[in-house]
Amino acid sequence: DGGITQSPKYLFRKEGQNVTLSCEQNLNHDAMYWYRQDPGQGLRLIYYSQIVNDFQKGDIAEGYSVSREKKESFPLTVTSAQKNPTAFYLCASSKGQGVYNEQFFGPGTRLTVL
Amino acid sequence: QQPVQSPQAVILREGEDAVINCSSSKALYSVHWYRQKHGEAPVFLMILLKGGEQKGHDKISASFNEKKQQSSLYLTASQLSYSGTYFCGTFTGTASKLTFGTGTRLQVTL
């Protein structure tokens, strides 16, 4: 079955540590996205990539980094520079340009900083 | 800029209807609607495009008023499974990314 996988489902991190969240898709989608969701809030875009080896900052990119070396993979690193990283992180992908195409979401990773 | 959704929350009895609104301060190219159940990923419902084209769920309807820069999602004869948080996402002419509203929490009771 095609879909998006994120790992791990739950992640605990000590303050000051970098951590990388995995996102893999086998939908053959060109575009991939990372969102952050805080309790009772909407989804805020961190980074997005429309093609391999290219990505753009979203609305809240500070303290995060990404890479897009393969079409299937779009890992997100939460660095120690991110002041309040505890949140629910969602990865998504779409077939092409986002304005015309629905986004498919992975199950999410819940990150807690201790 | 983030679209504004209204109402913020609504409680319905099974079988009742609801309307969720999404307004933007900028001209819209498309509006996306998603539903998220607690602790789960958002699920696509519908896309409404400038010019009138729609893609999405057979049992859900929505409107897109380009002049007013707003969209409405119509949930008729609600079922318990409709419970969740509904998000609209907007594409405006100045950005090539989807911007989500803060959501409308819908609870359907017996």
Side-chain angles (χ1 to χ4, degrees), chain B residues 74-87:
Chain B
Y74 304 99
L75 302 168
T76 56
S78 59
Q79 304 170 18
L80 294 175
S81 62
Y82 287 10
S83 294
T85 302
Y86 290 77
F87 293 100

Side-chain angles (χ1 to χ4, degrees), chain B residues 27-97:
Chain B
L28 297 174
Y29 277 75
S30 70
V31 179
H32 297 215
W33 287 97
Y34 291 81
R35 177 173 59 213
Q36 184 180 31
K37 294 190 180 283
H38 183 69
E40 298 181 7
V43 173
F44 168 73
L45 295 176
M46 179 163 283
I47 292 176
L48 300 107
L49 299 168
K50 190 176 177 180
E53 188 179 346
Q54 296 186 4
K55 284 172 65 169
H57 209 290
D58 289 340
K59 296 186 178 179
I60 290 176
S61 64
S63 64
F64 181 15
N65 188 322
E66 293 175 35
K67 285 185 179 178
K68 291 186 177 180
Q69 296 163 187
Q70 65 185 36
S71 175
S72 296
L73 187 71
Y74 304 99
L75 302 168
T76 56
S78 59
Q79 304 170 18
L80 294 175
S81 62
Y82 287 10
S83 294
T85 302
Y86 290 77
F87 293 100
C88 71
T90 57
F91 267 95
T92 66
T94 55
S96 58
K97 57 185 173 67

Side-chain angles (χ1 to χ4, degrees), chain A residues 35 37 40-43 45 48 50 58-59 88 90 98-103 105-107 110, chain B residues 2 29-30 32 34 36 39-42 44 47 49 55 87 91 96-102:
Chain A
Y35 293 93
Q37 188 173 33
Q41 299 296 312
L43 291 82
L45 184 65
Y48 63 107
Q50 294 181 326
D59 299 315
F88 188 45
L90 287 158
V99 64
Y100 303 114
N101 296 284
E102 63 268 36
Q103 294 185 13
F105 286 83
R110 195 167 297 277
Chain B
Q2 195 172 31
Y29 277 75
S30 70
H32 297 215
Y34 291 81
Q36 184 180 31
E40 298 181 7
F44 168 73
I47 292 176
L49 299 168
K55 284 172 65 169
F87 293 100
F91 267 95
S96 58
K97 57 185 173 67
L98 197 60
T99 300
F100 284 94
T102 53

